[in-house]
Amino acid sequence: MTVTVRFAPSPTGNIHIGNLRTALFNWLFARNRNGRFIQRFDDTDLARSTQAFANQILYDLHWIGIFPDAVEYQSKRFAAYDAAAERLKSAGLLYPCYETPEELELRRKVRLSRKLPPVYGREALDLTEEDRKQLEAEGRRPHWRFLLPNFAADPHETQRTEISWNDVVRGEETVDLASLSDPVLIREDGTYLYTLPSVVDDNDMGVSHVIRGDDHVTNTGVQIALFKALGAEAPAFGHHNLLTTASGEGLSKRTGALSVANLREDGLEPMAVASLAVLTGTSGNVTAARSLDELADEFDPASSSRSAAKFDPADLVILNRTLVHELPFEDVRDRLMALGVKGEKAEAFWLAVRGNLDRVSDAAAWWRIVTEGPEAGAAFTDEERQFLRAAFDLLPDEPWDRSTWKEWTGAVREATGRKGKALFMPLRLALTGRQSGPELADLLPLLGREGTLARRP
Ligand code: GLU
């Protein structure tokens, strides 16, 4: 059987790093098993879902390097969900309920006061045809609940019913169906909650592994029962731990916190984002993989811890830096061009500065320093200025290469008696305006003799 996974966000906002974790767990899992990856948009909520968000999600995935084998929209599959709902209804497994949220809340309180579990008491099962007509005549519309198979003969006498599976991430998992309320599958306005469409799709689309956040563990118990009720075989399941912000708050598409789009706009490398999205909260070392293939080689879904993991954007910059320091010119040529870094010096420039950058975009400031002049001039004392003037008078003749710096500073040391920091720092400041940065031996040939002389204070 071909391993088939899916990533199933609702297109109601931009995906964040936690959603990306789910996408990558699926992608890497499939990649390691020659599997297929389906991009499924859970857009049954027609009011909140938009094609623009779906497109943005696809764009975010492409940026990371995830190219789905198929793209599906739940909004195009209502007929399949209606057919499944009809089958459940005629089997008596999907039943209409008329309680308002207030009535349900009141019943819940009563059950709690009687030390009963606060689950739905299945009162609607006892409604007669007559009662239902009466309620509908009052203007009530039904919502529909799935009758969980947690009883022997009488649905009012539930008994412990364990649904167990070998979780791809968490190992042996068990949910007791008697601890749950019959889940609502269809709302009063006729719209579907995600529970049933997801099962219908996973079955129709041949999904072999459902990998998602551990906020779905309980749903899995329900959905395995639904697969059975529909006469289908349940796929394997895996539930990874969720990511939170550095201060421990949950991530939400609504707030836009740590959205993939924001991280991209912040100039971060896709592999820094991907590496941290996957490796945070696992027992593996958090290092930057250079490609998804490399990340896939290290990927072990079972290495995720069971508790939520804090995602610290500061770590992202650390990983980003290590990737940028090694990026070959070929890989950044176009991005540098967009920053205005072009021409015959571009490659040498990149190789000179990359080791000092947190982000590729930081190259723009160094390019201005090299081509236009030092950053906001350092204020030199008279003594420093005198020293610098003497030093600039000793600049060797061209042609210049990497050895020119050594030759020049050797001559300056000889003539002025300065050495170490006292020698290099004023030169660095005069040439760049910054106290630290790329090797001056590399920068000097890029400035050229004329460009260097122009910086004589
Ligand atoms: N749309 C659901 C969610 O984003 C999908 C859950 C699942 O993968 O089954 O939570």
Side-chain angles (χ1 to χ4, degrees):
M1 185 187 56
T2 313
V3 163
T4 302
V5 299
R6 84 302 191 274
F7 172 50
S10 15
T12 54
N14 286 341
I15 52 169
H16 52 61
I17 191 91
N19 303 127
L20 182 65
R21 179 177 181 80
T22 308
L24 279 165
F25 266 57
N26 280 286
W27 173 261
L28 299 172
F29 185 87
R31 143 74 177 67
N32 285 346
R33 290 160 184 79
N34 275 326
R36 297 178 73 236
F37 176 100
I38 300 173
Q39 174 55 44
R40 189 184 86 200
F41 289 111
D42 285 5
D43 57 349
T44 53
D45 182 347
L46 299 173
R48 288 176 57 226
S49 305
T50 70
Q51 185 63 44
F53 280 131
N55 293 345
Q56 176 72 40
I57 290 171
L58 285 171
Y59 184 75
D60 288 345
L61 294 181
H62 292 172
W63 177 66
I64 289 289
I66 293 178
F67 295 90
D69 296 296
V71 179
E72 303 279 358
Y73 292 84
Q74 291 198 321
S75 56
K76 296 186 181 153
R77 293 181 39 79
F78 284 120
Y81 313 144
D82 291 346
E86 280 316 312
R87 279 178 59 199
L88 293 173
K89 282 181 192 172
S90 41
L93 297 177
L94 189 59
Y95 62 98
C97 305
Y98 295 83
E99 295 89 347
T100 62
E102 296 73 30
E103 286 164 352
L104 289 171
E105 182 53 24
L106 194 64
R107 285 212 198 126
R108 207 180 69 88
K109 284 192 178 141
V110 171
R111 288 183 72 93
L112 279 173
S113 70
R114 293 195 193 140
K115 306 238 174 322
L116 290 168
V119 295
Y120 179 59
R122 291 176 164 162
E123 289 81 359
L125 279 181
D126 303 328
L127 296 176
T128 62
E129 190 63 38
E130 221 21 54
D131 297 334
R132 288 210 287 271
K133 278 208 185 106
Q134 175 68 33
L135 287 161
E136 297 201 10
E138 283 169 20
R140 297 209 191 196
R141 294 274 154 274
H143 53 275
W144 296 79
R145 288 186 191 263
F146 171 49
L147 184 65
L148 288 171
N150 54 10
F151 57 94
D154 179 355
H156 292 297
E157 283 176 28
T158 58
Q159 59 190 35
R160 188 170 175 87
T161 309
E162 292 190 348
I163 296 270
S164 301
W165 67 95
N166 187 6
D167 197 282
V168 170
V169 178
R170 296 159 65 95
E172 227 20 71
E173 275 294 336
T174 298
V175 168
D176 172 17
L177 294 185
S179 68
L180 307 177
S181 292
D182 285 342
V184 177
L185 301 188
I186 305 176
R187 298 186 189 88
E188 201 182 295
D189 63 1
T191 59
Y192 287 97
L193 280 100
Y194 109 102
T195 318
L196 176 66
S198 182
V199 165
V200 171
D201 287 348
D202 289 338
N203 188 44
D204 288 355
M205 295 170 193
V207 170
S208 63
H209 293 78
V210 171
I211 302 176
R212 54 190 179 182
D214 60 17
D215 49 338
H216 285 292
V217 170
T218 310
N219 287 338
T220 293
V222 169
Q223 287 182 318
I224 289 178
L226 259 180
F227 275 101
K228 282 205 189 109
L230 290 167
E233 199 186 323
F237 285 87
H239 299 89
H240 62 73
N241 53 346
L242 300 182
L243 300 183
T244 68
T245 64
S247 54
E249 290 142 46
L251 302 176
S252 149
K253 281 207 214 86
R254 241 163 294 155
T255 62
L258 291 170
S259 77
V260 175
N262 281 349
L263 297 173
R264 178 177 54 248
E265 276 151 29
D266 192 22
L268 295 160
E269 298 302 303
M271 280 314 302
V273 175
S275 302
L276 203 57
V278 169
L279 299 171
T280 301
T282 68
S283 56
N285 289 336
V286 179
T287 54
R290 272 168 297 232
S291 65
L292 287 185
D293 281 348
E294 200 179 297
L295 192 56
D297 289 341
E298 292 165 31
F299 174 66
D300 173 10
S303 72
S304 310
S305 73
R306 272 180 164 253
S307 45
K310 287 187 178 166
F311 184 90
D312 190 348
D315 294 339
L316 211 41
V317 179
I318 296 170
L319 293 195
N320 205 67
R321 195 181 293 152
T322 63
L323 286 172
V324 170
H325 293 183
E326 288 180 359
L327 275 179
F329 178 63
E330 276 315 307
D331 290 8
V332 285
R333 183 201 294 269
D334 293 347
R335 281 195 281 164
L336 290 177
M337 193 98 82
L339 293 171
V341 179
K342 51 191 171 206
E344 53 183 13
K345 281 186 196 171
E347 180 163 8
F349 165 78
W350 173 250
L351 297 177
V353 302
R354 65 179 180 179
N356 288 273
L357 309 179
D358 285 349
R359 294 171 173 76
V360 170
S361 55
D362 298 340
W366 281 106
W367 182 250
R368 280 195 298 277
I369 290 172
V370 166
T371 57
E372 291 168 20
E375 258 173 10
F380 295 112
T381 61
D382 284 348
E383 191 195 339
E384 293 292 32
R385 192 169 300 107
Q386 239 174 344
F387 159 73
L388 283 165
R389 286 184 177 165
F392 275 73
D393 288 341
L394 292 167
L395 278 171
D397 289 330
E398 287 187 311
W400 279 13
D401 60 21
R402 217 179 173 270
S403 65
T404 305
W405 170 253
K406 204 165 173 213
E407 188 189 331
W408 180 32
T409 50
V412 175
R413 186 184 304 115
E414 192 125 312
T416 66
R418 287 211 192 198
K419 52 186 187 202
K421 201 171 168 199
L423 169 65
F424 300 125
M425 190 50 80
L427 290 177
R428 178 173 283 286
L429 280 172
L431 293 175
T432 70
R434 291 192 187 185
Q435 289 187 346
S436 63
E439 296 269 355
L440 290 167
D442 293 323
L443 285 187
L444 212 52
L446 290 167
L447 300 178
R449 193 167 197 280
E450 210 176 306
T452 306
L453 268 178
R455 295 163 203 244
R456 185 177 186 271

